Amino acid sequence: MSALSEGTPFEALRGQLQDAATEFSDGPDALEGILLGIVDDVDRAVREPLEIFPVCHHSPASAVAMARRLREKQPKVVYLELCEDMAPLLTELRNCRLPVAVQAFASEVKGFPVEWAPLSVVAPITEASAEYQAIAYALDTPGVELVLVDRSSDHVFQWQSDAPEPTDPDAPPAEEEAALHGDAVGVEIGDLRPRFAELEEHLLHHGRVRHWSEWWHQYVELPLGDSDHDTYRQVMLLIGSLFRRLAPGDAGRVRVDEDRERYMWTRMREHLAATGTDPEDCLYVCGAFHASSRVEEFGVHGSDTFEITPPSESTWQHGLIPSSHAAIEAQFGLAAGSVSIAATQWAKNLKRTRVKPYRLAGQAGARKAAGKTKAVAPAAPVTPEAPTDKLSGFLQSPPALDRLDEAELLGWSVEIVRSARRNGYLASTADAIAVFETSILLAGMRDRARPTPYDFQDAAVTCIEKDTVPGRRDVRRLVEILMGGDRIGQVGYDALPPLARDVHDRLAPLDLKLQQRGVRRALLDMNSQPELRRCSDVLWMLRRLLPHGAARPIMGERELGKQSVQESWDLALGTHQRALIELGYEGVSIEQVLEQRLRRAAYAPNATTAQVLGAVEDAVLHLRGGRLADELGTRALEVLATERSVDGAPEVLRRVRRLLAYYRISRPELPAWIESFAKAGYAHYCTLLPTAFTDEDATVRQVAAMLGFLFSMESLALSLGCDRTQLDLAFAQSHPQEPSRVALLWAAQVHLGQLSRAELRERCDALLDNPLVVPAYPRYLSGFLHALEPVPQLADFVVEAVSNAFARLPDPVLLPWLPTLITTLRAEGAELAPLLIREAGRVFPGRLPALDAWTPPWRTAPEAPAVPAAPGGGAAGRAALLAAHPETCDSLAALLGCEGPWETEPPAPSGAVLAGRHPETATALEALLAGVSVVSAPS
């Protein structure tokens, strides 16, 4: 490097910096090496035959300089620092409204840890960015080739040593616009920010600014906004080299940065060798941080020692997703509103410099050309000039004083007051004057001749936002909206994946602008318009697949065996366009995606029986096919056989009951899997029942659900070959000690006939008579309440048990455990409370005056049992009744073809007469007895 530095245009600057380093550090040391190394980095990049164009992400100055340089140089090849596998998508940018983000997505990963899935990489693109200018120039200029040279999306994760940082679950929820990128890893061109915390703090302190975006706007954007190409290029190289040399020694991050630079220079040399392009006809667009590289592979004559590893076996999908200024700021750690201010500065730079920017033909939101555009003439060959030193003049010249634009500042002040009043602030004309004067005052205190948007923002907050925010937007947010607002991009119909286009096509009968952001109300009347039934099917599947709020039903339901004739929906597909696009990475239709997700959920290693049954129910509801439902039902049977706990018993009971009821009314016979499930479930829960009654980890609700399964499936299981002895043995081995489980066992014994209601009532009375047990009585009631799930006919007894407790216990005993009773019933039996309330409403009187004379039915004296009649008296009475009213018997006899007269008196029963009429039985009995006597005679 020292040999190259001799005779360079930066020799004078090098001498000045060396003298300054010697003076400030009392002799040569590391400071001199840093300062001289910065000059060497700039000199090396400027001398490179392949022109390097350093940029900063979303920088208006970089975008203006890029547009100007492209029109001057008109390169034949543009090398761009962007993931090389994203190249095919760039032509679809013309079908979108910027800002959007190019995305690479992999749902199934191979070669990476499973917990990293899904993998997602996004590269946001705005109109006020240098990369968009390069893309638009290369795609719309004949004979120009655009080559993306950065590492692929797969290598982004190959070079990542640890998993991507997950979102903090305790962090406040992000705004909707700020979450458009999701959890994707961001890739940007020109991440130019100090990595040395002390350096950034020093710059912010002496620059009298609050954050890095404001410092960059004040000290880089404004000075370079209308500078010439050489000055812009050398200053950006200087900043990149400074931040690079002062970066902390993070070995992992330095290794990734250097590998990226080796990767890009290797790709460029490969392309030059393959095409034979002259490096003078090429332009390399990269971040200023990478433009000052010191790796051996740097330059067209660098070494070729870097070996690019092959990609993994992961399947990557690519597409465009909507982006926004807020999403870019949130993902890359920029100050709120900085990208919107940059867009406003871009428009001002274009107006001031009169540079004509590049826009893709047919770009959504761009102005249409007035006439036919003439073909751009090829650039005349220009002899490359020797680089000259522009840094010395730029660093030594005082900052240009930009006059105060009073009209612009006054317009801002008036508009912010008008916006504040619309949002509930008590602002007036005096506040507009105060904001105007305070902005000038703050700019003067910060050594600025002209207030910046950040000064105006501080002044507006100080003068308007007194103590409270009356609405949902504070003054800082209102200033951001005033400066351009948060622009949200949109992916056009032609750039959507096939699944998203299919969804919009199938919802076209709704006649709604679903691609626009916001909520659209859809009304579906399937009686008058049967074709809307297909739209309803699509909406229910979208509700199952998309995030909450994308498709929200207001009226209507879809359950097994039920279909609504009218539905009302709130649709926000335009707002959730990113989720719909990512859905397209998983399949070509929503039915295919839903089937894949159901299979994935059912065959997951940690899948439970309840989850698999939920997948079966969704398959029946949305896909209406028996094949998938039967397959998943067989899987549920396999999972049930491996479970050793009863955690999911309530959910299993609820879903099996629904599926069984549906199949009974919709099919002539039950599917084989559900019959097998009933048999296996009966045996499975009979085996686990004794353990569950004494297991501390099992709740009363889970044990009650097991009993509910056994009692409700008992008839089906027994008809399929199960043995009732299994259930009897399970109850014989169940010996619970906890009061609620004891009550649950008593209720089950009543259902099985092992315990009568009278005996159960005596046991409850004994509990109330025992002072030591009274404090635990609410837990017994909790068990009886959960018993309503397997034994709903005990609802009247539960009402009786609660009423007896309130009637018999004195207030000193009743009041202490009354809150416990209420909280227990609310926490553990909320879904069973309506059954209890209905039974209480049936038993108790409906009016208050009738309560005084009301006697509970369980206190009424039982009627004396009827004396059984004599055996003959009953038959004689029935015969006399038939003889008195013979019409019914005559009709039945005529129907059967029987003829015969009525007998006035029934003949006396005579066994001898009956044996004479039918002697066969007596003869067979005689032969049997004779054989027995012959056999027993020898003994």
Side-chain angles (χ1 to χ4, degrees), residues 719-733:
S719 66
L720 296 174
C722 290
D723 191 356
R724 176 68 180 272
T725 309
Q726 293 177 308
L727 185 62
D728 295 336
L729 291 175
F731 274 95
Q733 297 173 1

Side-chain angles (χ1 to χ4, degrees), residues 675 678-680 682-683 713-726:
E675 293 182 349
K679 292 173 56 179
Y682 187 83
M713 296 290 171
E714 184 177 14
S715 58
L716 178 60
L718 295 180
S719 66
L720 296 174
C722 290
D723 191 356
R724 176 68 180 272
T725 309
Q726 293 177 308

Side-chain angles (χ1 to χ4, degrees), residues 193-507:
R193 184 168 183 169
R195 297 182 182 176
F196 191 38
E198 287 77 4
L199 174 61
E200 181 173 345
E201 182 181 356
H202 177 83
L203 294 176
L204 297 182
H205 175 72
H206 290 276
R208 299 181 181 179
V209 294
R210 292 169 300 161
H211 44 71
W212 175 251
S213 299
E214 186 176 358
W215 186 93
W216 182 267
H217 175 84
Q218 178 66 27
Y219 295 100
V220 180
E221 284 294 331
L222 296 181
L224 293 181
D226 52 358
S227 60
D228 61 276
H229 170 66
D230 290 337
T231 303
Y232 165 82
R233 188 182 177 198
Q234 293 176 20
V235 171
M236 292 295 289
L237 290 170
L238 171 70
I239 297 174
S241 177
L242 174 65
F243 291 168
R244 189 185 189 96
R245 289 184 175 273
L246 294 182
D250 186 352
R253 190 167 185 178
V254 171
R255 177 185 56 81
V256 172
D257 289 334
E258 293 181 349
D259 284 348
R260 289 182 65 185
E261 293 153 7
R262 296 187 180 100
Y263 193 105
M264 291 188 285
W265 280 110
T266 301
R267 288 302 192 199
M268 285 187 284
R269 282 195 299 271
E270 290 176 355
H271 182 269
L272 291 174
T275 60
T277 307
D278 187 359
E280 297 290 343
D281 296 331
C282 303
L283 186 67
Y284 172 35
V285 182
C286 67
F289 189 88
H290 298 296
S292 304
S293 175
R294 301 189 302 274
V295 297
E296 295 180 359
E297 290 81 2
F298 180 88
V300 294
H301 302 296
S303 62
D304 292 325
T305 58
F306 183 71
E307 181 180 356
I308 298 177
T309 59
S312 67
E313 298 180 0
S314 300
T315 303
W316 288 89
Q317 304 285 338
H318 297 81
L320 297 170
I321 62 173
S323 183
S324 66
H325 292 173
I328 297 172
E329 294 160 358
Q331 187 167 34
F332 300 111
L334 305 177
S338 58
V339 179
S340 299
I341 293 175
T344 304
Q345 187 65 32
W346 156 257
K348 291 181 180 179
N349 289 349
L350 293 180
K351 185 176 181 181
R352 183 175 66 252
T353 61
R354 297 185 179 182
V355 173
K356 185 178 180 181
Y358 287 95
R359 287 189 178 92
L360 288 170
Q363 181 73 63
R367 296 180 181 177
K368 297 183 179 179
K372 295 183 178 180
T373 57
K374 298 181 180 180
V376 179
V382 179
T383 304
E385 300 178 357
T388 58
D389 180 14
K390 297 289 186 177
L391 282 177
S392 300
F394 181 83
L395 296 176
Q396 293 177 1
S397 60
L401 296 179
D402 195 357
R403 297 187 300 107
L404 171 63
D405 190 346
E406 294 187 359
E408 180 187 55
L409 182 58
L410 186 60
W412 288 354
S413 303
V414 174
E415 287 298 327
I416 191 59
V417 169
R418 181 182 290 115
S419 177
R421 296 188 65 174
R422 285 198 301 265
N423 285 269
Y425 289 91
L426 300 177
S428 62
T429 306
D431 293 312
I433 298 174
V435 171
F436 180 86
E437 297 295 341
T438 306
S439 301
I440 299 175
L441 177 63
L442 289 177
M445 296 173 61
R446 296 166 178 173
D447 294 334
R448 301 171 187 170
R450 177 181 181 178
T452 65
Y454 299 97
D455 298 326
F456 172 74
Q457 187 179 57
D458 293 341
V461 172
T462 302
C463 298
I464 298 178
E465 192 174 294
K466 304 297 189 300
D467 51 356
T468 59
V469 178
R472 66 184 184 93
R473 292 173 176 169
D474 56 5
V475 174
R476 191 175 301 279
R477 176 61 176 158
L478 296 179
V479 174
E480 294 174 8
I481 297 174
L482 175 64
M483 293 299 170
D486 183 18
R487 298 181 186 177
I488 302 174
Q490 182 185 35
V491 179
Y493 175 84
D494 295 330
L496 292 173
L499 180 144
R501 293 200 300 268
D502 178 63
V503 168
H504 285 287
D505 293 341
R506 294 167 68 176
L507 295 180

